[in-house]
Amino acid sequence: MTPPDQPMMAVVEAAFFMSKILIFREGPIMDNNEKGDETKAMERRRFLKLGGTAAVLSAAHAAFPGGAFAQGAGPEVKGAKLGYIALTDASPLIIAKELGLFAKYGMPNVEVLKQASWAATRDNIVLGAGGGGIDGAHILTPMPYFLTLGTIGKTTPMSILARLNVNGQAISVEKEYLQAKADLNAGKMKGIIAKRRAAGNKITMAMTFPGGTHDLWIRYWLAAGGIDPDKDLELITIPPPQMVANMKANTMEAFCVGEPWNDQLVAQGIGYTAVSTGQMWMNHPEKSFAMRSDWVAANPKAAVAITAAVIEAQRWCDNPANLAKLCQIVGGRDWFKVPVTDIQDRLAGNFNMGDGRSFKNAAFKMKFFAANASFPYKSHELWFLTENQRWGKLPAGLNTKSVIAKVNRSDIWRKAAALAKVPAAQIPKGESRGVEKFFDGKVFDPGNPAAYLKSLAIKRV
């Protein structure tokens, strides 16, 4: 009996996965691990019978651009375990899984696993997939730095492979503050805060993880309005999906979190959105896609492949023609379990702030790929580190250049973008987006972060 042709079998396997991608348009796909060996064999035979060798080769070529079937050219592994939190900016990982994009780039066994909180994400990354945890995640951009530096637990070197989005977070306030009309100007709340404190009441506001993006946005907003986030109130940590329930239970006066939870708060009539974070800093960096550095070092080709799938998913997510499908998938029972409108309105740029203000097709809406949203600028990483130095969460003497060089893997992003056939015009030439300007007139020059810190009135350094 003649042994099977291994290269040809690899092509057949790839084409089979490509057929699953195409079938997605007509209905849900069963993962391979849900089927018995006999069922899988029957499907392969049926696929070959229907399509023939030419169809197999054509599908394989479409499935793996850039010659992924050349001898030794494919990823070192077929899968990885990735975490996500129920936030709209996790969409690229979800879509890459649902549309078969991980499989397209030779990673059919990638799992996208729900995490209960950012603390759970941290703990599972420290464990690693080999210890029952995960290899990487949709993550708050400062967290890979905290893990690498060992400031939030066991030192676990991390690699940021892509940014997942810009904009799309918000600061929401309970109804009691409607009379203050707090918006970009948090200072409008000072009178109510002072009155409540004088009566012996504690002022509590929430974010999702100390030193994370939501912590930094609410701190910046409060401080710009003359409110000290450490002295005038207490900031507590609440997981994103629990924000609305805690506001309903009067646990806090305000919170900062990503969508869809701010929109859901307004839809339920519990409070209103004071500000969407893109109004504070237009097209600001937000979540990242990061993996354990030891996984990346062991599987460099797989790291590029998995990042290429994420990039392609980001481009798909940004296409207005895909908006309804995106929201249907992400809001569905397999992922967020929320009404589609809680996701779709603000993702489309239509903001009902809940206090009479509304915006249509707002420029500050979430973007996944437009405005270079996917590229992990090193200048943005520097801002996150500088802000955490501002609040005493990182040492003032930290060698930021050195740690950014370890964590930021824009080189992998560039290789992945080429694999995903991103046009050259859409690939940033440098590692810095340049000088950044904020709503309160402050300026962050990546070449002089000390000047930025000096310009801030409320800080811990």
Side-chain angles (χ1 to χ4, degrees), residues 278-335:
Q279 295 173 291
M280 296 168 55
W281 177 9
M282 180 62 77
N283 293 332
H284 69 77
E286 184 47 44
K287 303 298 187 303
S288 290
F289 170 54
M291 300 192 73
R292 289 175 55 116
S293 294
D294 56 2
W295 191 96
V296 173
N299 308 291
K301 294 176 184 176
V304 172
I306 207 167
T307 305
V310 170
I311 290 172
E312 184 165 336
Q314 288 180 285
R315 299 177 75 192
W316 187 93
C317 289
D318 255 2
N319 186 340
N322 298 329
L323 179 62
K325 187 67 175 178
L326 166 61
C327 297
Q328 178 187 350
I329 292 172
V330 173
R333 60 189 299 178
D334 291 338
W335 301 103

Side-chain angles (χ1 to χ4, degrees), residues 174 243-252 270:
E174 69 175 0
M243 286 292 190
V244 175
N246 274 274
M247 185 75 93
K248 188 182 294 185
N250 296 316
T251 302
M252 67 273 201
I270 300 168

